[in-house]
Amino acid sequence: CRLQVAGLFGLQVGCRTETVARTYRYSIDHRNNHHPITMSDFAGLLGNLKQSAQRVKEDTTAGRSTTGSSDGGRRKGKQQQYQQRKRPAGFHPQDHSGSSAAKRRRTPREPADKRELTLSISFLCIGAQKSGTTWLHELLSKHPSLCLPAEKEVHFWDWNRRKGLGWYCRQFTRGRDGNADVRYGECTPCYITLPESDIEEVRTLFPKVKLIFIARDPVDRAWSALLMELRNAVRGVEVGKFSINDRTDNRHLEQMDKESNPDKYDDTYFMDRLRHSTHRDRCDYASGLQRWLKYFDDKQLLIIDYNEIAQNPRETLEKICWHIGVDSKALLDLLSDQELRKRKNAAVGSTKDKQIRPSLRKKMEAHLRPAAISFNKLLQQLGYTDFRVSEYK
């Protein structure tokens, strides 16, 4: 009898509990008042529960047939109102399509330290690493109308944001001679890996900034980055970091150079490093650029073919100056052909001009082929018809 009572009581919990709870309390009151509960009491309780269950079932069936459609409509209307409250003004589903024509329209919150901002950034070179960004930084620094930090790669938006916008502005000291027409910018190739929250903040502060991205063959770029990481790791730099103020004693350099010889490391070592997020994110050009294009118009982005730097450095620099909005002649007249073609930040020691061994190249090409295909599709969508990266077919 207890099992039957418990089963019926549990049956009513999901529907209507008033009558059931009242009947159940009746049985408890009997027990608390020390009245002996007989089989007839249980039978009466069981009968009451059955009647209550039948009434609930009938009421529920009737309610569904008469009010089901209207209740459903009200629920749907409330859901739509809730969704509208969650969406900011001006929000449209196509804003998340990733196309350069559909930008996010909501107004993000301004950073608390915006009052420390004393200048406006006109251009950012956001990548790619090991693709001529040092060359670009040093040459643009010579332009009389441009002001870049004394040292390349400020890493403000990824490593140093906590130092504040005031600190960021103080990095731009070169060329600040009172020229009202000076334009500020910097080259930090790791910005291609920034998450959307950081990119959104850049857009909030500098909505008209011009973006520059230099695209190199993915395998060649990755190999160069792996060698640089290996050299830095031998010198004590944390894995995944790429900058160092090298104060190594000269007598130790030779030994360190031997330890960073890539011939001492097998294919597995390099492939494991290539799969790490440090290199994976830097190799995926398309995903990185698409994040930026969610917040900036595609006309604000200039993609440069890395090979053009070696083949036509003067024309390449002229194109970049035009994109930034400064006179290229003021810079090109200052530069000789030798300066234009000089390699910057090239590999040294045992890693200098070190080619990828065939077995490793084959593995790297297979691994990076999807990223190369995605980037070529993006180039086509953006209207770049003059170059493509290899897809390693």
Side-chain angles (χ1 to χ4, degrees), residues 202-217:
V202 174
R203 178 177 177 268
T204 301
L205 296 172
F206 315 115
K208 297 182 179 180
V209 68
K210 298 298 180 65
L211 307 173
I212 304 167
F213 182 80
I214 306 175
R216 184 180 180 182
D217 177 89

Side-chain angles (χ1 to χ4, degrees), residues 20 33 38 113 154 159 169 250-251 282 292 351 361 376:
V20 180
N33 293 330
T38 65
D113 57 347
V154 176
W159 296 354
C169 293
N250 288 334
R251 61 181 177 175
R282 288 163 174 77
W292 282 88
T351 61
R361 172 173 279 281
N376 282 339

Side-chain angles (χ1 to χ4, degrees), residues 272-336:
D272 287 344
R273 293 305 309 149
L274 185 61
R275 295 185 184 97
H276 191 276
S277 60
T278 296
H279 297 281
R280 183 186 66 241
D281 295 344
R282 288 163 174 77
C283 291
D284 191 356
Y285 300 164
S287 295
L289 290 174
Q290 285 168 344
R291 285 195 300 273
W292 282 88
L293 289 173
K294 287 182 180 180
Y295 297 90
F296 293 94
D297 193 273
D298 53 13
K299 294 180 180 178
Q300 294 176 252
L301 171 66
L302 174 65
I303 302 177
I304 296 293
D305 182 0
Y306 172 80
N307 296 322
E308 288 297 311
I309 295 178
Q311 298 171 5
N312 302 299
R314 189 173 295 273
E315 290 79 358
T316 301
L317 200 56
E318 183 177 5
K319 185 187 300 184
I320 293 173
C321 287
W322 180 86
H323 180 66
I324 295 173
V326 294
D327 180 22
S328 60
K329 189 175 186 300
L331 174 60
L332 294 175
D333 288 348
L334 301 174
L335 302 173
S336 65

Side-chain angles (χ1 to χ4, degrees), residues 286 368-379 389-391 393:
L368 294 176
R369 184 170 183 264
I373 294 174
S374 297
F375 179 58
N376 282 339
K377 289 181 179 179
L378 179 62
L379 286 174
V389 297
S390 174
E391 296 182 357
K393 295 181 179 179

